[in-house]
Amino acid sequence: MEENESKEILSKIQSMERELFFLKERVLSLSQSKTISKPIPSELPKQIHPLDNKETVPLEEGPNWFIQWIGQNLFVKLGVFSLILASVWFFYLAIEEYWINESVRIWIGILSSLPVLWYGYKTKDTRPYLSPSLLGLGIAVLFSAYYSGYVWYDLYGTETCFVGLILLSLTAVGISYAEKSEVLFGFASLGVFLSPILVSTGQNSYPFLFTYLLIWNALFFWIRKEMEWKVIPLIVLFANHLIFAIWAESKLQDAKLFYPLAFQIGVYLLFLIREFQVLKANREKEPVLTLVTLGFTLGLGFIQAFWIFGIFYPTLKPFLLTLFLLSFYMIYSRSLKEITLTEKAKSTYDIVGLFGLPLIISVIVMGMTGKTLAFSLISFAFVVTMASTYSKQMYMYLATFPVWFFALLYAFAFTYRSFNEIPFLNGRFVIFATGSLYLVLSYWYSRNFSPFAKLFLYVAYPYFLLGNFVEIHLGFPEEKRLFLYSICLIFYGLCTLVIGFKKEIQSLKVAGFVSLALVIAKFYLYDFWNLSLGYRILAGLFLGITLIVTGTFYNRIKKETV
């Protein structure tokens, strides 16, 4: 029994082995058939036609891009523009033939703006550059349609029209603030500034106008703090001053002072404070337009203040304009507190510090004349040099050089002799002497700050000599002038040499040496042939003594250094 069972099991195992072998053979046969079916590459290369080797080039690439742009872009835009033209012509024809009445015309304008607004809102994410323009265009169409009902058809009164225009403009302001869109805010600003002008009836209601504009500028001041807008501040600034200039041209003289002055001061302070805050936040960037806005704020504000003060306070105009400029530098100094300036940011603030210099000079020029003006200009140049050295502002320091040039040159405008004038004891010589002293002090104070400080020292001595020559030329007769010129050069040359040797100041040694060289050249080339015998003897005597003293100094220095 057991033997039968074992045979049966063995037979089953053998049958399973045969079946497994059969399946294995089947798999091998299938795999061989697949490998045989693959094309075997021939040894000879297959001939390929040139057209079969070319790759297909998309229509938007290669030489066909222009055709693609015309077909998909330009044709569509021209089609839209053609439809708009046809609609405008049809609307004009309907008005001419009176197919539609006044109220329907206004509603057509209002309803036509809705698709533009809807599409502008829909594409705010997909087309961020197109969307603000469409929204602004839609609001402009609404604005124009609503205003047309007032100006052409008298559908509502002035107050109703003004309120409606303001609501539309403020709506645009709110949308621009929510979307942080500078373009849309530009459309809104245009509506805000145009609203009082469009509904004006010609009455001189300037208190309302300036109060309204001041409130709008305060709103812009609040919105601007969170926006990195660049062009809008300039546009708003110019709009303010343009409206004021148009009004003031014919009505400022008949108006009261408070409202125009309050408006100008408000705009001036709001823009300065806000733009200085923007500059403080972006001082490490390239705030070019912020600097331009600050410059125009100061310049236009100064012009308008000059205009106002010239009418209401002509005698106090220089003083009031000085206070105007001081307020600029107070806000400037306040903006520098609690910040650390890098080299780049410091250069930016140095540029801002220069904005007021030409205006300060203009105040000095308009407030004074004659020798008082010359003395004031020299003193101003000296003070600015000291201030720029103390604050380490190189741009302001360099800007003092043209001021110095003009101030020193202006003293020569008084090279004429006044009645009962005493040589070397008059206001003209005081200006020369003071200018030379200021130049020496400017060198001494800023010699460690700037390598250009030596220019002050090189100018101080010749300028003082020129002042002496002017006094000799105007105060003494012609026969004494040549002799006194020589004596002047000898005296100051000897003094500078002595001080130069005592204090070891090389520039003074050079100045003294040059002075004596000029005296020697003048004596032998000119005085020897033109002076009278008495003056020739005196000139030679003084020159000889001076040269002996000078040689003694040089020999002593040589012995000490050997």
Side-chain angles (χ1 to χ4, degrees), residues 214-262:
L214 203 54
I215 294 173
W216 157 238
N217 280 280
L219 177 63
F220 172 69
F221 174 87
W222 180 76
I223 292 176
R224 172 79 169 110
K225 65 181 180 181
E226 299 180 4
M227 304 298 173
E228 296 183 357
W229 293 339
K230 299 178 180 180
V231 180
I232 283 298
L234 271 174
I235 294 177
V236 174
L237 179 67
F238 280 121
N240 279 297
H241 287 287
L242 180 62
I243 290 176
F244 180 84
I246 293 173
W247 171 85
E249 184 179 4
S250 58
K251 299 180 180 179
L252 179 60
Q253 294 183 347
D254 301 326
K256 294 182 180 179
L257 175 64
F258 176 77
Y259 286 100
L261 185 61

Side-chain angles (χ1 to χ4, degrees), residues 268 297-298 301-302 305 309 319-328:
Y268 177 73
T297 300
L298 178 63
F302 184 86
F309 296 147
F319 173 74
L320 294 175
L321 290 175
T322 303
L323 294 179
F324 180 89
L325 295 171
L326 285 176
S327 64
F328 169 77

Side-chain angles (χ1 to χ4, degrees), residues 392-406:
K392 307 296 183 184
Q393 296 187 13
M394 182 57 70
Y395 285 90
M396 186 179 293
Y397 183 83
L398 295 177
T400 59
F401 285 98
V403 181
W404 273 111
F405 177 79
F406 179 75

Side-chain angles (χ1 to χ4, degrees), residues 333-382:
S333 301
R334 180 176 172 270
S335 68
L336 288 171
K337 292 182 178 179
E338 300 177 357
I339 61 172
T340 303
L341 293 179
T342 62
E343 198 65 33
K344 182 178 180 180
K346 185 177 182 301
S347 300
T348 301
Y349 274 91
D350 286 344
I351 293 173
V352 177
L354 298 176
F355 288 166
L357 287 182
L359 303 179
I360 294 174
I361 295 173
S362 65
V363 170
I364 295 174
V365 171
M366 77 177 67
M368 302 175 185
T369 57
K371 297 181 178 65
T372 306
L373 173 59
F375 184 79
S376 300
L377 286 173
I378 294 174
S379 301
F380 170 73
F382 173 68

Side-chain angles (χ1 to χ4, degrees), residues 121-157:
Y121 177 78
K122 183 180 178 181
T123 58
K124 68 176 183 177
D125 297 325
T126 57
R127 297 185 177 182
Y129 295 102
L130 178 62
S131 177
S133 299
L134 291 175
L135 290 173
L137 178 61
I139 292 175
V141 173
L142 269 176
F143 191 94
S144 302
Y146 185 79
Y147 177 67
S148 299
Y150 164 75
V151 69
W152 287 343
Y153 309 122
D154 293 328
L155 298 180
Y156 26 80

Side-chain angles (χ1 to χ4, degrees), residues 25-42:
E25 290 291 331
R26 180 65 177 166
V27 171
L28 289 174
S29 64
L30 290 174
S31 62
Q32 288 177 358
S33 65
K34 287 184 178 180
T35 56
I36 292 172
S37 64
K38 287 185 178 180
I40 301 174
S42 61

Side-chain angles (χ1 to χ4, degrees), residues 415-427:
T415 53
Y416 54 87
R417 181 173 176 82
S418 302
F419 183 71
N420 292 331
E421 184 181 83
I422 302 175
F424 298 99
L425 294 176
N426 53 73

